[in-house]
Every structure is written in C-alpha cells, then in structure tokens.
Amino acid sequence: MTAKVIDGKAFAAKVRGQVAEHVAKLKADHGLVPGLAVVLVGEDPASQVYVGAKGKQTVEVGMNSYEHKLDAATSEADLLALIDKLNKDPKVNGILVQLPLPAHLNSDLVINSIDPAKDVDGFHISNVGLLGTGQKSMVPCTPLGCLMMLRDHHGSLAGMNAVVVGRSNIVGKPMAQLLLGDSCTVTIAHSKTRNLAEVCRSADILVAAVGRPEMITGEFVKPGATVIDVGINRIERDGKTKLVGDAHYESCAAVAGAITPVPGGVGPMTIACLLANTLTATCRANGLPEPKGLTA
Ligand code: NDP
C-alpha cells in the first residue's frame, strides 16, 4: 500500500482563505478588524522566524498584527505590565507570548496572566481546564490543525482507535483530549510505555509527537492507518541540513493509508489555526456567531 499524502500546505491555504473571507465580512458588516499581538522576548533565531511568519500571515488575512520585541533581559514585572496593557486593549483580540522564554522568566506565570478569552495559543490553565471538561475553550493551534486534517480526511472519527505518542502540555495531551471529544478510543503513549510498537499498531489514527527524528517506523503502523506526524527535527544527512518528522516517512508511507509529510503537513496548519483562533476570539468578544469549521 502507498499512503495518500495529506497536504497540510494546501489545507492551511484553504483555512487562511476561509479566515480572510470572515475577516472581510467582519469589517464590512461590523467595522471590526481582529488584532493579534505577538510578544517575543530575546533573540532566539527560530522564534524570530516563527514570529516573522505569524506577523506576515496575520496581515495577509486582513487582520492587524502588533509585534512586541523585548530585550532578553526584560524583567518579569515589565513583561506582565505589557500583557496587562494588551489584555485591556480592545484592538487586541489575541495575545501570543512566543515560547520558550528566557530562563529567568516564569512561563506558567506569564501565560496565566493572559486574559483567557485572548489566549489564542490555548495554554492558559482556564482553557486547559475547559478543554479537559469538554467545554468551549481556546484550543492549542497544533493539535487543532491535526484535528481539522483528520476530520477532513475521515469525516467522523467516532469509534476509531487513536494512539498519541507524546504527553506534552502543548501537543500530546490536548491532542488526546480533542480526539476523545470526537469519540475516538484514545491511548496516550510516552517514554515509559511498554511494547510501544505493539501499542501503536492498535491505532487507526497514530499521532507522532515525540521530538525524536524518524523514531516511528513502518513496523509501528497498522496497515491502512492514518499517521499524523507532528515532529519538526533538523538533522544533518549527506552533508546537508534536512527537516524530518518524528515518523520515518518512507517506511510509514509504505504501510499507512494516509500520512502527513514533513515539511508540508502539520507545520503550516499551526499558524493557520492561530489565525482561526484569533478570528474565533474576536467573534466571541463581540457576541457574534463563530466561524464554522474553524474551531474544535
Ligand atoms: P516534548 O519534548 O515536550 O514531549 C515529547 C514527548 O514524547 C514526551 O511526552 C516524551 O515522553 C515522549 N517521548 C520521548 N521519547 C520517547 C520514546 N522513546 N518513546 C515514547 N515516547 C517518547 O515535545 P513537544 O510535544 O513539544 O513536541 C513534539 C514534537 O512536535 C517535536 O518534534 C516538536 O518539534 C514538534 N512540534 C511541532 C509543532 C508544529 O507546529 N508542527 C509545534 C510544536 C511541536 P515523557 O513524557 O515520558 O518524557
């Protein structure tokens, strides 16, 4: 079997198009322009690239982008004061603090100081609790992107066996909650899981979020299963830097029914979902109906 490739790049472009359409309508009908504030502390090169891409795509869908670049030595008090200002600013509908923060800043304290209604990354403890109890919340962007692609590919996910490999707060756990919300039978695997390959072979949906290049190989995959590869790893191969996932693409694609590639799979969906969340936050803040198909 050769797996169908789930094209995250094309899907993300479609999502951005839907967001742009809603944004244009918000402007025309209500005079509203959603605003996303991104806060970057320090000069981490990867974070600078992400923040640049987020700002560019925010403007491309017709939203306002507010970038706050702070010195690496910024004090916690100054960062909290900025977040307080953004929380109170009616032009700002979404706030994202780029992680990781420099070591002297308490990430949990900083994230939990964001107004939960503007927490477009979905990391605030209130949103984590709402998602965990099946209530309306802001949903973390990467797992939301995975869910959208799965729904698009399968229609209903009800009754499917899903295995999520990885239990981080930003990917593994919210991914598992979302799959449970769509009535999958969910297993969360991690570094202490016994017989991991066997556990994975029980999955109709296998989500790889381990942060280990190409760890999930074809022998972990049930024939015909859908493999969602969240991993982004830079490796050196044949003297070149290459981007690979947490799944070994060739061996998994030979067994799976469908698979997301790296690059061009989950990655592009993350920013598209950030824009979708900013739109959702704007609609909720103004008592307007939420866009269909862009939330969990
Ligand atoms: P973390 O390092 O926070 O979590 C990794 C998880 O994988 C942990 O739960 C860990 O288990 C588990 N794990 C590690 N080694 C093994 C193993 N040998 N067997 C089974 N489980 C293992 O990573 P993240 O969740 O932040 O990220 C996961 C991947 O997703 C990374 O490749 C990252 O780059 C990528 N990513 C991609 C994004 C995108 O936009 N596409 C966004 C965010 C992340 P334990 O808890 O027991 O230690």
Side-chain angles (χ1 to χ4, degrees), residues 142 165-168 170-172 189-192 196 209-212 215 230-233 246 266-267 270:
T142 300
V165 193
R167 56 175 163 179
S168 73
I170 62 166
V171 186
H190 46 76
S191 67
K192 304 289 185 291
L196 182 63
V210 278
R212 297 190 181 266
M215 192 197 103
V230 182
I232 301 179
N233 308 286
D246 291 344
V266 175
T270 297

Side-chain angles (χ1 to χ4, degrees), residues 160-206:
M160 296 178 90
N161 286 336
V163 174
V164 179
V165 193
R167 56 175 163 179
S168 73
N169 290 334
I170 62 166
V171 186
K173 283 182 200 153
M175 184 76 251
Q177 296 284 5
L178 289 173
L179 291 166
L180 191 59
D182 270 28
S183 298
C184 291
T185 302
V186 183
T187 302
I188 306 177
H190 46 76
S191 67
K192 304 289 185 291
T193 298
R194 294 191 187 132
N195 305 323
L196 182 63
E198 194 182 317
V199 171
C200 290
R201 277 196 302 273
S202 71
D204 303 309
I205 295 169
L206 179 58

Side-chain angles (χ1 to χ4, degrees), residues 163-166 189-190 196-197 200-201 206-222 226-231 233 245-253 259:
V163 174
V164 179
V165 193
H190 46 76
L196 182 63
C200 290
R201 277 196 302 273
L206 179 58
V207 181
V210 278
R212 297 190 181 266
E214 302 179 326
M215 192 197 103
I216 304 295
T217 58
E219 67 175 277
F220 290 61
V221 180
K222 175 162 99 173
T226 298
V227 177
I228 302 290
D229 188 354
V230 182
N233 308 286
D246 291 344
H248 181 267
Y249 186 82
E250 286 76 17
S251 64
C252 288
I259 187 166

